[in-house]
């Protein structure tokens, strides 16, 4: 699996928990779906100013797509590229629409006891790096999540992951940044693959070389 990629660190994201990493501009992070079934939520922040964050709304405008393809960049709240998708061995099914799960989401789903959630995982992962975020952020990039726009062009349908074991994406840093991930704890709504809806581990690798180098594209402007 991706033996040609040179990495300086590899780490496990335990099922239901989160991890965050710091990338230097030009490095990349590989997100590996070890079991082929797991949704992984993702956020990114400017390492010099964490009030500037990866913004799904600005990203959709920049790329003119609902979801990214290889060569597309993720854009910050200040409309700067922060990450670029440079490789994807999965079917390319990801999501930029659905809010990350949080404690209130599980209350609404009927949980009467605390439930692990992606939003808390974001704060925990960043805290492990000694970073305190100024505010929450429910607008994650939901890697491997299968949300389909229906034929009416309005309705969304939530479906299980369609990846296979070992599928991965690679995100290149366009600035020094923190990137946080959550191996989504969702076990009520059927999003994890293969029908049992059981959260599982994923893997991260911080890459230094060997990954595809795609040209950074500018913002979309009307012809």
């Amino acid at each position: 699996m991706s033996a040609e990629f040179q990495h300086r660190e590899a780490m496990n994201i335990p099922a239901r928990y989160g991890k965050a990493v710091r990338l230097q501009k030009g490095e990349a992070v590989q997100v590996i779906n070890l079991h082929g079934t797991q949704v992984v939520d993702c956020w990114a922040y400017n390492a010099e100013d964490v009030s500037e964050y990866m913004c799904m709304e600005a990203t959709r405008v920049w790329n003119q797509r609902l979801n990214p393809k290889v060569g597309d960049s993720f854009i910050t709240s200040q409309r700067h590229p922060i990450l670029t998708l440079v490789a994807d061995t999965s079917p390319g099914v990801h999501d930029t629409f659905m809010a990350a799960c949080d404690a209130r989401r599980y209350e609404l789903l009927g949980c009467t006891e605390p439930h692990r959630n992606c939003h808390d995982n974001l704060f925990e992962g960043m805290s492990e790096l000694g970073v305190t975020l100024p505010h929450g952020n429910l607008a994650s990039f939901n890697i491997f999540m299968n949300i389909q726009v229906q034929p009416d062009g309005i309705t969304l349908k939530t479906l299980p992951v369609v990846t296979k074991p070992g599928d991965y994406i690679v995100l290149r840093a366009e600035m020094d940044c923190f990137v946080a991930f959550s191996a989504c704890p969702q076990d009520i709504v059927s999003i994890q693959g293969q029908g049992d809806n059981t959260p599982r581990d994923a893997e991260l690798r911080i890459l230094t070389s060997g990954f595809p180098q795609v040209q950074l594209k500018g913002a979309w402007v009307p012809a």
Side-chain angles (χ1 to χ4, degrees), residues 4 7 9 11 17 25-26 31 35 38 50 60 72 106-107 113 115 138 147 157 160 163 183-184 187 219 223:
E4 72 277 12
H7 65 277
E9 188 174 0
M11 66 189 73
Y17 288 79
K25 181 179 178 180
V31 186
H35 303 276
Q38 181 63 39
V50 292
R60 290 191 292 265
D72 289 346
Y106 285 104
E107 290 176 5
E113 299 293 333
H115 193 292
L138 292 177
I147 305 297
K157 187 173 184 180
T163 54
C184 182
D187 53 9

Side-chain angles (χ1 to χ4, degrees), residues 39-78:
V39 171
V40 180
D41 288 31
C42 174
W43 302 260
Y45 295 84
N46 181 342
E48 302 303 319
D49 177 8
V50 292
S51 70
E52 181 178 8
Y53 58 91
M54 185 170 72
C55 175
M56 293 303 99
E57 300 94 322
T59 295
R60 290 191 292 265
V61 172
W62 187 282
N63 295 317
Q64 290 293 288
R65 301 189 209 282
L66 302 181
N67 295 301
K69 293 184 176 182
V70 170
D72 289 346
S73 293
F74 293 87
I75 307 305
T76 71
S77 52
Q78 300 299 315

